[in-house]
Amino acid sequence: MAISTADFKNGLTIEVDDAIWRIIEFQHVKPGKGGAFVRSKLKNLRTGAVQDKTFRAGAKMERANIETRKMQYLYADGDNHVFMDNDTYEQIELPAENIKAELKFLKENMEVSITTFGNETLGVDLPNTVTLKVAATEPGIKGDTASGGSKPATMQTGLVIQVPFFVNEDDELVINTTDSSYISRA
């Protein structure tokens, strides 16, 4: 389905130059001299790269039909990771290099959204927060909280984040998946 720049919305997916892009933000510009144009910031859904692109006002392009399915992360099988569709029980395998950033937050039986374009899997969308167990951290020293500082902690998935001094090993923590920050104890 062809759309024009007048149909742009944040989050819309389009096909340009044989790539699939999600519109992060856009702005219609009408200069005093010359034709109007649309300045946009796009994210490539295959590579994750963010790029600024400019389109003439009224330019036509194809809309990419992206499908999102709820799936459950089952287990790692060598360099592949297995996910199962909650409705059809169909299983898919994704190579580790395609989901490197997401692996730091994935734990078994966790529910995620898988984004697909046709038969091609584009990526894994994590929930905004995940609960992970602290695997290793240094013990907090009493009276060491005057500055409200933090210490590094390694989570069960291998993720290393900064946490407050009162956090101990085996604590369950709520972590923000967008910036890998500590939110609270679970």
Side-chain angles (χ1 to χ4, degrees), residues 5-6 27-40 53-59:
T5 55
Q27 178 182 19
H28 290 279
V29 180
K30 296 178 187 134
K33 185 174 146 188
F37 59 91
V38 176
R39 201 178 279 136
S40 62
K53 277 194 180 291
T54 305
F55 300 98
R56 284 180 294 105

Side-chain angles (χ1 to χ4, degrees), residues 75-90:
Y75 57 90
D77 183 21
D79 284 342
N80 291 324
H81 296 270
V82 181
F83 295 85
M84 179 184 69
D85 189 310
N86 292 343
D87 300 326
T88 64
Y89 302 109
E90 166 195 354

Side-chain angles (χ1 to χ4, degrees), residues 19 22 31 36 59-60 67 82-84 87 90 95-96 100 107 124 147-148 156 159 163 169 175-177:
R22 175 172 283 137
K60 299 261 187 222
E67 189 179 311
V82 181
F83 295 85
M84 179 184 69
D87 300 326
E90 166 195 354
K100 243 182 223 150
K107 58 183 188 178
V124 175
S147 63
Q156 69 193 59
L159 173 69
V163 297
E169 286 185 21
I175 296 159
N176 183 342
T177 57

